Amino acid sequence: QLPPEISFHQATLAVAEVQERCPKDSAPTKQQALRLLIGMGYDPNAAVAKWNEITAWRATNRIDDVRREQASLMAGTSDIHFPNELEVYSKLIKVRPCVLRAVDGSPVSIWHAGSLNTGSLSSLPSNDVSAWSHAVFEYKDLWVSQKSEEQKRLMGYIQVYDMQGVSFRHLSSRELMDKMKCALEVGSYYMEAVAHMYVINASVLFSMAWKVVRNLIPPRTASKITVSKDIPEELVQALGPQSAALKSLKEMCKEMLEKSGDVSQHSGEVLRP
């Protein structure tokens, strides 16, 4: 996972430097420091600055409390539900967080972009979307952090965006984009937590646009995004060609499109590590 120009010894020293330069009461763990360094191009100054930004955001939004709540749910046996999930799924977008498990143990979440709802947004407060998002991202981070420690290598989560049914109406709504920003923007505070993003069932127009956009974003970011008109072979291999997970993905995408108005039919079970 280290670039060829960075030796294990250099990475170890850089991790120690980042930890030493951060406040002792909020210093990152070795795993967090390594993720920071990878995400910031192995620049210790940038990594420390990003960590300070992250800790300020976590303090403002009381994310440590959210983490304790999610850790308790993960350790329990009851069904897992996130704050305001029914409102988010019925009024904004249908999502199945951590509904599948990849072959390597990574959690897989499905976002059905075609279900984006422009009709009920005014009755969905942005704070409710943010609360749901905070819980979901903390849960995923807990999962990949735990698995990384167990397997002694950095792991991340997989995001699948099913583009069936997406129209210009969805993309042209400013209010919709603002609410989706509330749902997704917190991902920037979880460095190198994403293993890969798969945009599946993409239209020809979307695929053409991606060919332009991928040249405008950092190469590392672009390398983590796959856009396909169907389910790409890379995702098939990640789930397992003959696995129940792959079969479930196909069924879920079909169900989410057909039962767009029935939240109870698609909420899905949130898995545990």
Side-chain angles (χ1 to χ4, degrees), residues 120-216:
S120 305
L121 292 174
S122 60
S123 62
L124 178 62
S126 295
N127 286 342
D128 287 359
V129 179
S130 294
W132 170 83
S133 180
H134 293 166
V136 169
F137 275 86
E138 274 298 306
Y139 187 88
K140 291 189 292 187
D141 188 65
L142 278 165
W143 182 316
V144 299
S145 297
Q146 176 181 317
K147 282 297 181 182
S148 295
E149 293 297 328
E150 291 176 0
Q151 298 192 20
K152 305 301 180 184
R153 64 186 183 92
L154 289 186
M155 295 184 63
Y157 55 79
I158 294 173
Q159 297 271 74
V160 177
Y161 296 93
D162 176 22
M163 301 301 286
Q164 291 182 98
V166 173
S167 68
F168 180 75
R169 171 177 56 86
H170 295 131
L171 303 178
S172 62
S173 171
R174 175 64 181 274
E175 186 178 14
L176 181 60
M177 293 300 102
D178 286 344
K179 291 292 170 63
M180 283 302 297
K181 182 179 179 181
C182 290
L184 292 169
E185 66 180 349
V186 301
S188 65
Y189 297 105
Y190 297 87
M191 299 298 296
E192 291 298 308
V194 178
H196 208 88
M197 292 188 288
Y198 295 95
V199 181
I200 65 173
N201 300 318
S203 66
V204 173
L205 183 60
F206 187 96
S207 298
M208 290 175 61
W210 167 242
K211 290 180 180 179
V212 175
V213 172
R214 68 183 179 188
N215 294 316
L216 304 176

Side-chain angles (χ1 to χ4, degrees), residues 82-145:
F82 300 111
N84 313 312
E85 60 179 22
L86 291 181
E87 289 76 15
V88 171
Y89 301 158
S90 63
K91 297 178 180 180
L92 179 58
I93 184 172
K94 294 189 296 184
V95 186
R96 292 180 188 260
C98 301
V99 71
L100 299 174
R101 183 181 288 105
V103 173
D104 67 357
S106 301
V108 182
S109 300
I110 308 172
W111 297 63
H112 182 60
S115 72
L116 286 165
N117 188 348
T118 59
S120 305
L121 292 174
S122 60
S123 62
L124 178 62
S126 295
N127 286 342
D128 287 359
V129 179
S130 294
W132 170 83
S133 180
H134 293 166
V136 169
F137 275 86
E138 274 298 306
Y139 187 88
K140 291 189 292 187
D141 188 65
L142 278 165
W143 182 316
V144 299
S145 297

